[in-house]
Amino acid sequence: CKEELSVLDFGTQLTNNTFSKTLVLENKGKRPQALRWINETITEINLERQAESKAKSGPGKKEAVLAEPGFSVFPDEVTLRPRTATMFTFKGSAVTPEQLKEVFVLESKVSIISLSLVLLCFPLASFILSPVFFSFLFLLFSSLSSYFSLSLSLSFSHHSFL
């Protein structure tokens, strides 16, 4: 890979907006590698929530609500043959304004026995509230005969803190 992968800085992003970055990884070796991305941050949070849920006993016990990742990578698993390359796409989004940072681990398996940590990757982004609001959340369109006309005014407003 030609880019620095330890920190993927997406900068400042608007809430409810999906953004992405694509990275290319090459296998310059002579053996195929099975690569797998793991979101360590979300894995740890979900394990803690499940442990807390199991610790609570009695009536009214609720199942743990699993955390949703702010970042994802596609494909999360791939086998890379010798002298080939593959593209990984990191996507991110958030509903609320926040600073988001997650830890991704790239594991490589070259043979049946060897499993090694190849890379720690830290995607991060700052989310700010989108200042544009539409008058409707969704619009429905349907085919009407030519004898009828349908009009609907759509407006949007810009809310700024300035």
Side-chain angles (χ1 to χ4, degrees):
C1 184
K2 296 175 183 174
E3 304 97 21
E4 174 62 34
L5 291 179
S6 60
V7 176
L8 285 177
D9 191 356
F10 288 94
T12 303
Q13 300 290 332
L14 296 176
T15 56
N16 299 316
N17 184 34
T18 302
F19 51 90
S20 64
K21 263 190 188 177
T22 301
L23 306 170
V24 177
L25 287 179
E26 296 178 76
N27 180 1
K28 294 183 178 182
K30 296 180 180 180
R31 295 185 181 152
Q33 291 190 40
L35 301 174
R36 182 172 76 148
W37 287 100
I38 299 168
N39 188 330
E40 284 289 316
T41 306
I42 297 301
T43 302
E44 289 176 13
I45 290 171
N46 286 338
L47 286 174
E48 287 173 11
R49 288 183 180 183
Q50 288 173 343
E52 288 173 5
S53 177
K54 286 182 182 179
K56 294 177 183 177
S57 60
K61 179 181 172 182
K62 295 181 182 177
E63 285 206 22
V65 178
L66 299 180
E68 292 291 323
F71 294 102
S72 62
V73 62
F74 180 81
D76 59 347
E77 289 187 40
V78 69
T79 300
L80 198 55
R81 295 190 322 249
R83 293 175 292 287
T84 60
T86 190
M87 293 190 321
F88 291 102
T89 302
F90 281 84
K91 289 186 179 182
S93 67
V95 181
T96 58
E98 61 182 311
Q99 292 279 345
L100 188 60
K101 181 178 180 181
E102 294 178 1
V103 177
F104 278 81
V105 175
L106 179 62
E107 291 181 341
S108 172
K109 192 173 189 180
V110 178
S111 65
I112 297 173
I113 301 170
S114 70
L115 179 68
S116 62
L117 170 76
V118 175
L119 176 69
L120 283 175
C121 182
F122 300 94
L124 59 102
S126 295
F127 291 93
I128 60 172
L129 197 58
S130 177
V132 178
F133 298 95
F134 291 92
S135 58
F136 293 99
L137 294 178
F138 59 90
L139 294 174
L140 298 176
F141 293 96
S142 63
S143 175
L144 298 174
S145 73
S146 61
Y147 297 110
F148 298 103
S149 72
L150 177 66
S151 67
L152 179 65
S153 63
L154 174 66
S155 63
F156 66 93
S157 56
H158 183 270
H159 298 270
S160 178
F161 299 110
L162 298 177

